[in-house]
Amino acid sequence: MDTTAEVLRAATLDLTRTLDVNVLLDKLLQHLAQLVPYDTANIMLLEDDSKLAVRAIRGYERWGDPVITRQSVFDVRTHPILGALLTGRRSIVIRETRGHPGWLRHEGADHVRNWMGVPLLAGDRAIGLYAVDKSEPGFFTSEHVQLTEAIAPHAAIAIQNARLFEQLHKSEERLTRQVSEFQTLLDVLPIGIGIARDAECRFVAANPHLARLLGLPPGTNSSFSTRGPELEGVQLVHAGRALSPADMPMQRAAAEGRDVVDVEMDVVRDGRAVATIIGYAAPLFDEAKKPRGAIGASLDITERKRAEETVRSLAYHDTLTGLPNRLLFQDRLTLAVAQAHRHHKGLAVLFLDVDRFKVINDSLGHSVGDRLIREVAGRLRSCVREGDTVARLGGDEFTLLLPDAGHAVDAAKIAKKVLEVIRTAFEIDRRELFVTCSIGISLYPDDGRDAETLVKNADAAMYRAKEQGRDLYQLYTPALNATALERLALESSLRKALAHDELLLHYQPILDVATDRIHGLEALLRWRHPELGLVSPAEFIPLAEVTGLILNIGPWVLRTACAQARAWQLRQPGLRIAVNLSARQFQESGLVGHVTEALAETGLEPRCLQLEITESSAMQNAQAAIQTLRELKALGVGLSIDDFGTGYSSLSYLKRFPIDTLKIDQSFIRDIETDPDDAAIASAIIALAHTLKLEVVAEGVETPGQLEFLARHGCDLTQGYLFSRPVPTAECAERLAAPVRTAR
């Protein structure tokens, strides 16, 4: 018994000296082995209210499976023995496990025949249990139970203390880790952080980002309240004023005991702004709820401010030229009008458009066009005075605002100067380019009393300048506005014309010179306006081109002409139909698809469709034109160059165009009998076409003499008033049925 007392005393001392739970549990099993000769033993601790986890084992290296046993976790709510032991807080001994009604076989402890469990009680709460095992049934006696129970209270208290220490140690480790992580966060955050632990904020610990913002060495502990040499030349500027120490966010937060937010400041070093920051600060309080310091945060918004400036510049300036854009020009003009009204002064608005800019863009490429626009912008700047505004509205359109040019003569002087400088050759990529411009002028208050009216009237005057031959300026007159309104009304009506079935086709016969028979027909678009009657194609087709309406009208013309030709072919097989393609339509990417659909829908053979494009359309972008013509040719349709001789075809391109026909423009046919030059040109075109194995059509034939000349020089086909004007469908059907009389 003395031995037992010594063991208990040694165990108690060991248990009180040890605060490591795992070491404690191992010692506990060692001391228990001196009191109870078990084969295997383990200690289980409650991890929560329902889970018992094995935390220490002994003897399983010989008798059982240590890996399985050490990983074991039991649910006390469903385990009949462990649950009863902890609930009743009393020891349980099973003398023979085999056949015991509550015994649950455990794979790692098949050797157990005799089992004893003793609860570990801390006060009135069970924190776990001992389990000791024997391979011999009935081995454990009541004395063994008493010895095990004698050490259990000491073990429970030691375990409870060790677990508390373990939790405290983990808390300290967690706190240390969190402090370290927080410090790391402060070091890497792209936000300036400063902490002052004194109420006057005389000493501010700055994180690396704040130190960089202020130009301080890392780890500097300084303050604007006690400015040291390291802050020499450094200022925080708010709303254009250098802040005093008392007005700074951290000092205000500490002094007033409240948060200070959204203070925008410029960091100025040696007189130069190096950054823009937004400052935030919050007070730190002591136990008496009095401010004992402050913590501040500074968000660097320098890049955001630069981005805002860039966005503002993009919103108000043209990206290509850097000039004010339409929006900024409108603002400046509105302000100038208000000032002119207040001071009873005048001003002028010039609306400028580069003549035939599209030809340069299409023929030489957009990069050359962009460089030309930049050069034009530079020259326009040189023409105006300080206080004037040059703006680019887009494309090749510019406006000039002249606040002090209140009289027509003043504005005209500037306009003449602009015309002169634009006429001078531009050198781009070692190439000389000659361009002109057209200018419209409106004056305040005579031509408008608000910005919108002044710009609109200057625009109308500019269009008038173009109509009068370009390369000149035009002063606004009320009559121009009436013309613009008429154009607007016509455009509005034209937008409805297709939906209201107001568009129709007339047809003009094309005669074979050798046989005097109708070879084909040219479809010509007409518009029967409900109020104006037949509108001249010269009026509405250019309008349809400019507005883009031709892209809807063009496919309708194709389908209608093909369908009519297919109907006439029932009486006259092989009859060809010619359809004009506008410049805008020819440049459209979906043209080939529209032609394919028209042929498929109407059933017209491709060889019976002749597509006509003007010489100028083909040459606007010759390389692209070649590709489009090849795609059309692949469909099997015929291709014709219309108005030949009026454009600027290169013979090298003409040879590469996959065309079938040249149409001589009527301007060369009109005086063919009396003008030797026209006669020579016409005969040369016929000879050129035949050399290239092309068919020749002469347009505008009105007299027998013209027909005789063309026949003598081998012209293949003719059309004109001598045979027939363009006529409606019904009348054309009658002409197809009757013989043609050419008066030859």
Side-chain angles (χ1 to χ4, degrees), residues 7-31:
V7 171
L8 289 174
R9 187 181 300 109
T12 301
L13 289 173
D14 271 349
L15 295 178
T16 56
R17 293 193 191 109
T18 305
L19 289 175
D20 185 304
V21 174
N22 293 324
V23 173
L24 173 66
L25 298 180
D26 286 339
K27 285 184 176 293
L28 199 54
L29 292 179
Q30 291 175 22
H31 289 300

Short mmCIF file of all heavy atoms in Angstrom, two decimals, residues 7-31:
data_model
loop_
_atom_site.label_atom_id
_atom_site.label_comp_id
_atom_site.label_asym_id
_atom_site.label_seq_id
_atom_site.Cartn_x
_atom_site.Cartn_y
_atom_site.Cartn_z
N VAL A 7 3.15 5.96 -5.55
CA VAL A 7 2.77 6.15 -6.97
C VAL A 7 1.80 7.30 -7.11
O VAL A 7 1.91 8.16 -7.99
CB VAL A 7 2.17 4.85 -7.54
CG1 VAL A 7 1.59 5.10 -8.92
CG2 VAL A 7 3.24 3.76 -7.60
N LEU A 8 0.81 7.35 -6.21
CA LEU A 8 -0.19 8.42 -6.28
C LEU A 8 0.46 9.78 -6.04
O LEU A 8 0.13 10.78 -6.70
CB LEU A 8 -1.30 8.17 -5.27
CG LEU A 8 -2.24 6.99 -5.59
CD1 LEU A 8 -3.20 6.74 -4.44
CD2 LEU A 8 -3.01 7.26 -6.88
N ARG A 9 1.42 9.80 -5.07
CA ARG A 9 2.09 11.07 -4.77
C ARG A 9 2.93 11.53 -5.97
O ARG A 9 2.89 12.70 -6.36
CB ARG A 9 2.99 10.90 -3.54
CG ARG A 9 3.59 12.22 -3.06
CD ARG A 9 4.50 12.03 -1.85
NE ARG A 9 3.78 11.44 -0.73
CZ ARG A 9 3.95 10.20 -0.29
NH1 ARG A 9 4.86 9.42 -0.88
NH2 ARG A 9 3.26 9.71 0.73
N ALA A 10 3.66 10.57 -6.58
CA ALA A 10 4.49 10.91 -7.75
C ALA A 10 3.63 11.36 -8.92
O ALA A 10 3.95 12.30 -9.66
CB ALA A 10 5.34 9.72 -8.14
N ALA A 11 2.51 10.65 -9.05
CA ALA A 11 1.61 11.00 -10.15
C ALA A 11 1.06 12.41 -9.96
O ALA A 11 0.99 13.21 -10.90
CB ALA A 11 0.48 9.99 -10.24
N THR A 12 0.68 12.71 -8.72
CA THR A 12 0.12 14.05 -8.46
C THR A 12 1.15 15.13 -8.75
O THR A 12 0.83 16.17 -9.36
CB THR A 12 -0.34 14.13 -6.99
OG1 THR A 12 -1.32 13.11 -6.75
CG2 THR A 12 -0.94 15.49 -6.70
N LEU A 13 2.42 14.90 -8.32
CA LEU A 13 3.46 15.89 -8.59
C LEU A 13 3.69 16.07 -10.09
O LEU A 13 3.82 17.19 -10.60
CB LEU A 13 4.76 15.47 -7.89
CG LEU A 13 4.76 15.59 -6.36
CD1 LEU A 13 6.05 14.99 -5.79
CD2 LEU A 13 4.62 17.05 -5.95
N ASP A 14 3.77 14.95 -10.80
CA ASP A 14 3.99 15.03 -12.27
C ASP A 14 2.86 15.78 -12.95
O ASP A 14 3.06 16.59 -13.86
CB ASP A 14 4.09 13.61 -12.86
CG ASP A 14 5.52 13.09 -12.86
OD1 ASP A 14 6.42 13.93 -12.61
OD2 ASP A 14 5.72 11.90 -13.15
N LEU A 15 1.65 15.45 -12.48
CA LEU A 15 0.49 16.06 -13.13
C LEU A 15 0.43 17.57 -12.89
O LEU A 15 -0.05 18.33 -13.73
CB LEU A 15 -0.79 15.39 -12.64
CG LEU A 15 -0.95 13.90 -13.01
CD1 LEU A 15 -2.23 13.33 -12.42
CD2 LEU A 15 -0.91 13.70 -14.51
N THR A 16 0.91 17.99 -11.71
CA THR A 16 0.85 19.43 -11.42
C THR A 16 1.98 20.19 -12.09
O THR A 16 1.90 21.40 -12.29
CB THR A 16 0.92 19.67 -9.91
OG1 THR A 16 2.10 19.05 -9.39
CG2 THR A 16 -0.31 19.12 -9.21
N ARG A 17 3.07 19.49 -12.43
CA ARG A 17 4.21 20.17 -13.07
C ARG A 17 4.06 20.29 -14.58
O ARG A 17 4.78 21.06 -15.21
CB ARG A 17 5.51 19.39 -12.78
CG ARG A 17 5.95 19.40 -11.33
CD ARG A 17 7.36 18.88 -11.24
NE ARG A 17 7.76 18.62 -9.87
CZ ARG A 17 7.94 17.41 -9.34
NH1 ARG A 17 7.77 16.33 -10.08
NH2 ARG A 17 8.31 17.28 -8.09
N THR A 18 3.18 19.52 -15.17
CA THR A 18 3.11 19.42 -16.63
C THR A 18 1.91 20.19 -17.16
O THR A 18 0.78 20.01 -16.69
CB THR A 18 3.00 17.95 -17.07
OG1 THR A 18 4.08 17.21 -16.50
CG2 THR A 18 3.04 17.83 -18.58
N LEU A 19 2.18 21.05 -18.15
CA LEU A 19 1.09 21.82 -18.77
C LEU A 19 0.89 21.47 -20.24
O LEU A 19 0.01 22.02 -20.90
CB LEU A 19 1.38 23.33 -18.64
CG LEU A 19 1.26 23.89 -17.22
CD1 LEU A 19 1.68 25.35 -17.20
CD2 LEU A 19 -0.15 23.74 -16.70
N ASP A 20 1.71 20.56 -20.74
CA ASP A 20 1.53 20.08 -22.11
C ASP A 20 0.57 18.90 -22.07
O ASP A 20 0.84 17.88 -21.43
CB ASP A 20 2.88 19.65 -22.71
CG ASP A 20 2.76 19.25 -24.16
OD1 ASP A 20 1.94 18.36 -24.48
OD2 ASP A 20 3.47 19.84 -25.00
N VAL A 21 -0.58 19.00 -22.71
CA VAL A 21 -1.63 17.99 -22.62
C VAL A 21 -1.13 16.63 -23.05
O VAL A 21 -1.38 15.61 -22.38
CB VAL A 21 -2.86 18.41 -23.45
CG1 VAL A 21 -3.90 17.29 -23.48
CG2 VAL A 21 -3.47 19.68 -22.89
N ASN A 22 -0.41 16.56 -24.17
CA ASN A 22 0.03 15.26 -24.69
C ASN A 22 1.03 14.60 -23.74
O ASN A 22 0.95 13.39 -23.48
CB ASN A 22 0.65 15.43 -26.08
CG ASN A 22 -0.38 15.87 -27.11
OD1 ASN A 22 -1.54 15.45 -27.05
ND2 ASN A 22 0.03 16.71 -28.04
N VAL A 23 1.98 15.39 -23.21
CA VAL A 23 2.94 14.84 -22.24
C VAL A 23 2.21 14.39 -20.98
O VAL A 23 2.49 13.33 -20.41
CB VAL A 23 4.01 15.90 -21.91
CG1 VAL A 23 4.92 15.40 -20.79
CG2 VAL A 23 4.82 16.24 -23.15
N LEU A 24 1.26 15.20 -20.55
CA LEU A 24 0.50 14.90 -19.35
C LEU A 24 -0.23 13.57 -19.48
O LEU A 24 -0.20 12.71 -18.58
CB LEU A 24 -0.49 16.03 -19.08
CG LEU A 24 -1.49 15.81 -17.95
CD1 LEU A 24 -0.77 15.75 -16.61
CD2 LEU A 24 -2.54 16.92 -17.93
N LEU A 25 -0.87 13.35 -20.61
CA LEU A 25 -1.65 12.12 -20.81
C LEU A 25 -0.74 10.90 -20.86
O LEU A 25 -1.07 9.83 -20.34
CB LEU A 25 -2.49 12.23 -22.09
CG LEU A 25 -3.55 13.35 -22.11
CD1 LEU A 25 -4.31 13.35 -23.43
CD2 LEU A 25 -4.52 13.19 -20.95
N ASP A 26 0.41 11.05 -21.49
CA ASP A 26 1.36 9.93 -21.53
C ASP A 26 1.85 9.57 -20.12
O ASP A 26 1.93 8.39 -19.75
CB ASP A 26 2.57 10.28 -22.42
CG ASP A 26 2.21 10.25 -23.89
OD1 ASP A 26 1.22 9.59 -24.26
OD2 ASP A 26 2.93 10.90 -24.70
N LYS A 27 2.17 10.55 -19.28
CA LYS A 27 2.62 10.30 -17.92
C LYS A 27 1.51 9.65 -17.11
O LYS A 27 1.74 8.77 -16.26
CB LYS A 27 3.05 11.62 -17.26
CG LYS A 27 4.40 12.15 -17.73
CD LYS A 27 4.80 13.40 -16.98
CE LYS A 27 6.18 13.86 -17.38
NZ LYS A 27 7.24 12.92 -16.98
N LEU A 28 0.28 10.09 -17.39
CA LEU A 28 -0.87 9.54 -16.67
C LEU A 28 -0.99 8.04 -16.92
O LEU A 28 -1.22 7.24 -16.00
CB LEU A 28 -2.13 10.28 -17.12
CG LEU A 28 -3.36 10.20 -16.23
CD1 LEU A 28 -3.05 10.62 -14.81
CD2 LEU A 28 -4.47 11.06 -16.82
N LEU A 29 -0.83 7.64 -18.17
CA LEU A 29 -0.92 6.21 -18.50
C LEU A 29 0.26 5.44 -17.89
O LEU A 29 0.12 4.27 -17.50
CB LEU A 29 -0.96 6.03 -20.02
CG LEU A 29 -2.25 6.52 -20.71
CD1 LEU A 29 -2.15 6.31 -22.21
CD2 LEU A 29 -3.48 5.79 -20.16
N GLN A 30 1.43 6.10 -17.82
CA GLN A 30 2.59 5.43 -17.20
C GLN A 30 2.32 5.16 -15.71
O GLN A 30 2.57 4.07 -15.19
CB GLN A 30 3.84 6.30 -17.36
CG GLN A 30 4.36 6.41 -18.78
CD GLN A 30 5.53 7.38 -18.88
OE1 GLN A 30 6.21 7.64 -17.88
NE2 GLN A 30 5.74 7.89 -20.08
N HIS A 31 1.83 6.18 -14.99
CA HIS A 31 1.56 6.01 -13.56
C HIS A 31 0.44 5.00 -13.34
O HIS A 31 0.48 4.21 -12.38
CB HIS A 31 1.18 7.35 -12.93
CG HIS A 31 2.34 8.30 -12.82
ND1 HIS A 31 3.48 8.02 -12.09
CD2 HIS A 31 2.55 9.53 -13.36
CE1 HIS A 31 4.33 9.01 -12.18
NE2 HIS A 31 3.79 9.95 -12.95
#
